[in-house]
Amino acid sequence: MAPKSTSSKNKKYVAPHNMAVPIVGITFIALGGLLLIAIGSFILNGAADRSIFDMSLWELLSNNDIVVRNAIGKFGAWTSDMFVTNGIGLMAIFIPVLLIALGLYIYGIRYIAISRLIWNSFLISVWGSITLGFITMKFSDSTYLLCGGLHGYYVSRWLTSWIGVVGTIILLATTLLIYLSIRVPAVQRKINNILETLSNKRLSINWTKLHSYIHGEEEEFEDDSTTPSTESQPSSDSYSNQSSLSDQDSTNNINLNEQEEEEEENEENEEPSISFINNINPSPVPPAPSPLSNISEENEINTPVAPNIDVNDTTSNDDSVSYITNPNDDPSRPYDPTLDLSLYKYPPLDLLIDRQNNDSEVSKAEMEENAKNITTTLKNFNISIDKIHATIGPTVTLYELVPSAGMKLSKIKSVQEDIAMALSAMSIRMIAPMPGKGTVGIEVPNINKKVVSMYSMIKSDRFQKSKFELPIALGKTITNETFVFDLAATPHLLVAGATGQGKSVGLNVILTSLLYKKHPSQVKFVIIDPKQVEFTPYEPIEKNFLAKLPGGEDAIITKIEDVKATLSSLTVEMENRYSLVRKAGLRNIKEYNEKFIERKLLPTEGHRFLPYIVVIIDEFGDLIMTAGKEIETPIARIAQKARAIGIHMILATQRPDVKIITGVIKANFPSRIAFKVSSMIDSRTILDETGANHLTGKGDLLAKIAGSESVTRVQCAFVDTDEVVAINNHIANQQSYACAYELPEAEVDNGVLPVEFDSDGETPSGPGKLDPYIRKVAEMVVSSRLGSTSNIQRVFNLGYNRAGRIMDQLERMGIVGPAVSSKPRTILVNDLDSLESILQSFNV
């Protein structure tokens, strides 16, 4: 597939950035309101004004002697006559309604699916105009002007002349029945029941396909023999067969310099044999059928075809909305969480750029030269080897050495820097021994690196056919295989690396993998971005994929106070989920959701479907330096317990030292990803071994995933900002939930609730009460003339949340002023005597 520019694709317009948009919206609303009043007034008083409608509009407006009874005056009377009398009659009332709805939509108030309203209004207006015209034509020709209008009158006359009165009645009744069958679920069920009774067997109509056909979506009438789940999730057996074929054919062993070996055999019998495995361009093999072969043509991946449920729709794609009964309301059917957004379409593959790298291949001459240099260097140190294999990867070429019998690995390790100098390489990485093999590996950077596109990751069979709960397509290994792991089994991930080495791109790769594979009902993201700019492209998908505190302003969490509150809230969510799982007598989220889908756990008993929550914290080092234990403690709690109930954390830092990555963090984050670091000590801090300091940078990484016995070198996939923006805009321009996934309120310190005051400054009689420390804090603030939350924390040894609540209570009592940025609050009370009178008025 040819690469496509994605910088301007699927752009979603945001009204606040252009003042013209709300002005246009308000104009439409006002125009619709005026027209609604005019038409309503015309229907009531139209007969009195009818004598003036033969005039032109200019003549009518310029003659001041003409008086009309329409509430909007002459213009209202003339316009109403045009729409009602000369148009569609009483059905003209839909025109101002549509104008008002369109104005609200443009302004940003999108509680109504606008295209759905337009489509329904058009059908009802046409049918109603013809029906009213037919009725008035048969019974009273004098009232046609206010019933069906000229449109209904003449169309009904034409129908009567062609198919007669009976035929016209049958046609109108049939079209009404078809419309109700598609739009009203009760009518659908009634028709099915009637047909079932008549045929004495179950006969069901696929209303989704009928609706799609009426809307011109003919591709929905494909053969149902292949279900969506079969298309998107092929069997593991077929994958195994294809994988074995691919492995056999892609491993192309080329014996080089066979003639030279024969000529030198008499001179030196110990010369090692050299072979190469080129995995960049494997031998062409007819590809097995892939779920993406058809998907790329339709520009969608794993798109479910399912009925719709009544969900707040804020998208611009309302024309594809399906109006049928939600099967989740049927207790005899398994629960399907994806039906909440049944029309959601996964991001299409063409939003990603297919980056070709034909000019970055490693030449045969380069491999031969490197192999000979390695062999020569080892001979200079009296190290003999029997064989060399070269395996080409996207970033490095792996040379595997088979040492001669009796050679010590320590001796081979000691010449690592000498080999690097012989190869003119900035650094090499030696693996002695290779895990599971009797060889020594030497990873040599390629002169021309290959860019691994996210396009190739998403398209790969290994990712498409993955059965993982949270599959992550990270990049390609040195053997050019797609590296996919399950975040749900990880269970938490630590990402570290020096600045500019690909850490942020790696986080985008993780998010992109999940966005391409999971439905919004199945996974939610909590994104914490202290830099405030790294994850802004994900703000548009707030209502689809993000989770935050109720009433939170920003979709991406950037403020340290919000970070603390969110982490505390996640601990509450964790405990709530454990309560649900324990109540169900189960052990983990997978078992719980399976029981809920099978209707063995009911919402009436307090149960609910639990989506996975992925918490991504960027610049973890900055948070630790700012908040310390207040950040580390809840993170450690979540990391220790949250795996079983579906909360997984990803921490990223550019400062991999022991002050940031403490023993507590390392103990609870068994999976680590290390990009290039500056020192061997940093590498040991992250991976517990060296190697990250020898990476080449620009996405070159070492992955140590829980459950794996070894470290894997991977070239991270590349996804640029334009691709990320296009993906998020595609998701944002669809049906969405009414709001972001709401996390629970964090527990309040010592059971003290924040106090509320009425307009008279009195405390309510409800459960709210002032903090027990309020008097002491107030006296300290007035005496020291310092209204600072951090000062309250320090003096009284309180947590940040509680100190903040006390400060809010002081503000409501009129003791301190409102918060202004990060400055201390203004003290409004001058002395302790004045303070005492205020405290007594609040019974403190």
Side-chain angles (χ1 to χ4, degrees), residues 348-400:
L349 188 62
D350 62 358
L351 295 178
L352 298 172
I353 300 174
D354 184 11
R355 295 176 170 85
Q356 302 293 339
N357 298 273
N358 296 328
D359 57 345
S360 62
E361 298 179 7
V362 179
S363 64
K364 186 177 179 180
E366 180 183 344
M367 290 188 291
E368 291 178 356
E369 183 68 21
N370 287 339
K372 289 183 178 180
N373 288 336
I374 292 173
T375 303
T376 301
T377 303
L378 292 174
K379 285 181 180 178
N380 293 338
F381 290 92
N382 298 321
I383 299 173
S384 60
I385 58 175
D386 295 334
K387 194 175 183 180
I388 298 181
H389 291 282
T391 305
I392 303 173
T395 304
V396 299
T397 299
L398 173 65
Y399 295 88
E400 291 187 68

Side-chain angles (χ1 to χ4, degrees), residues 569-589:
S569 176
L570 285 169
T571 61
V572 177
E573 174 75 9
M574 175 182 69
E575 298 297 342
N576 292 344
R577 289 187 171 209
Y578 267 115
S579 297
L580 290 174
V581 174
R582 182 177 64 253
K583 180 180 177 182
L586 302 171
R587 297 185 302 171
N588 55 57
I589 185 175

Side-chain angles (χ1 to χ4, degrees), residues 281-563:
N281 287 316
S283 303
V285 179
S290 167
L292 216 56
S293 59
N294 295 327
I295 289 164
S296 60
E297 297 177 0
E298 299 176 358
N299 291 336
E300 59 184 73
I301 296 179
N302 296 339
T303 303
V305 179
N308 184 39
I309 189 171
D310 186 13
V311 177
N312 180 31
D313 190 346
T314 61
T315 73
S316 59
N317 298 332
D318 303 311
D319 57 329
S320 61
V321 177
S322 176
Y323 311 97
I324 66 176
T325 306
N326 178 15
N328 278 341
D329 295 337
D330 184 359
S332 64
R333 291 187 175 188
Y335 175 81
D336 185 357
T338 64
L339 293 184
D340 289 348
L341 297 179
S342 61
L343 300 173
Y344 175 79
K345 293 187 177 181
Y346 290 74
L349 188 62
D350 62 358
L351 295 178
L352 298 172
I353 300 174
D354 184 11
R355 295 176 170 85
Q356 302 293 339
N357 298 273
N358 296 328
D359 57 345
S360 62
E361 298 179 7
V362 179
S363 64
K364 186 177 179 180
E366 180 183 344
M367 290 188 291
E368 291 178 356
E369 183 68 21
N370 287 339
K372 289 183 178 180
N373 288 336
I374 292 173
T375 303
T376 301
T377 303
L378 292 174
K379 285 181 180 178
N380 293 338
F381 290 92
N382 298 321
I383 299 173
S384 60
I385 58 175
D386 295 334
K387 194 175 183 180
I388 298 181
H389 291 282
T391 305
I392 303 173
T395 304
V396 299
T397 299
L398 173 65
Y399 295 88
E400 291 187 68
L401 318 178
V402 181
S404 300
M407 296 303 305
K408 292 184 178 181
L409 290 179
S410 59
K411 190 174 183 181
I412 300 177
K413 290 181 180 180
S414 64
V415 299
Q416 177 174 339
E417 301 300 330
D418 300 281
I419 295 175
M421 184 177 66
L423 297 174
S424 300
M426 294 186 63
S427 65
I428 65 171
R429 177 172 174 261
M430 182 174 288
I431 310 171
M434 292 284 291
K437 300 181 179 180
T439 60
V440 175
I442 300 177
E443 295 174 346
V444 181
N446 297 334
I447 296 177
N448 297 315
K449 291 184 179 181
K450 180 180 179 181
V451 177
V452 178
S453 66
M454 197 65 202
Y455 176 93
S456 63
M457 295 292 98
I458 301 300
K459 187 179 180 180
S460 65
D461 284 349
R462 182 163 294 182
F463 179 75
Q464 283 298 310
K465 298 177 179 180
S466 170
K467 302 295 184 181
F468 293 153
E469 292 293 320
L470 297 174
I472 306 296
L474 189 60
K476 290 194 174 182
T477 65
I478 57 177
T479 58
N480 218 46
E481 297 176 350
T482 301
F483 185 79
V484 181
F485 68 94
D486 187 4
L487 181 62
T490 303
H492 308 290
L493 184 63
L494 176 63
V495 181
T499 303
Q501 302 305 318
K503 184 174 75 279
S504 296
V505 174
L507 295 178
N508 282 323
V509 167
I510 292 173
L511 285 167
T512 301
S513 298
L514 295 175
L515 291 177
Y516 265 93
K517 196 68 173 178
K518 307 304 291 185
H519 189 273
S521 64
Q522 298 170 336
V523 64
K524 302 295 178 182
F525 302 119
V526 175
I527 301 179
I528 298 174
D529 180 18
K531 289 195 294 188
Q532 303 185 22
V533 296
E534 198 64 55
F535 293 99
T536 50
Y538 296 93
E539 289 181 348
I541 63 172
E542 172 183 349
K543 294 183 179 180
N544 296 85
F545 279 101
L546 299 189
K548 65 177 186 180
L549 291 173
E553 297 180 0
D554 299 323
I556 308 300
I557 302 164
T558 58
K559 299 178 182 178
I560 187 64
E561 296 84 358
D562 294 337
V563 174

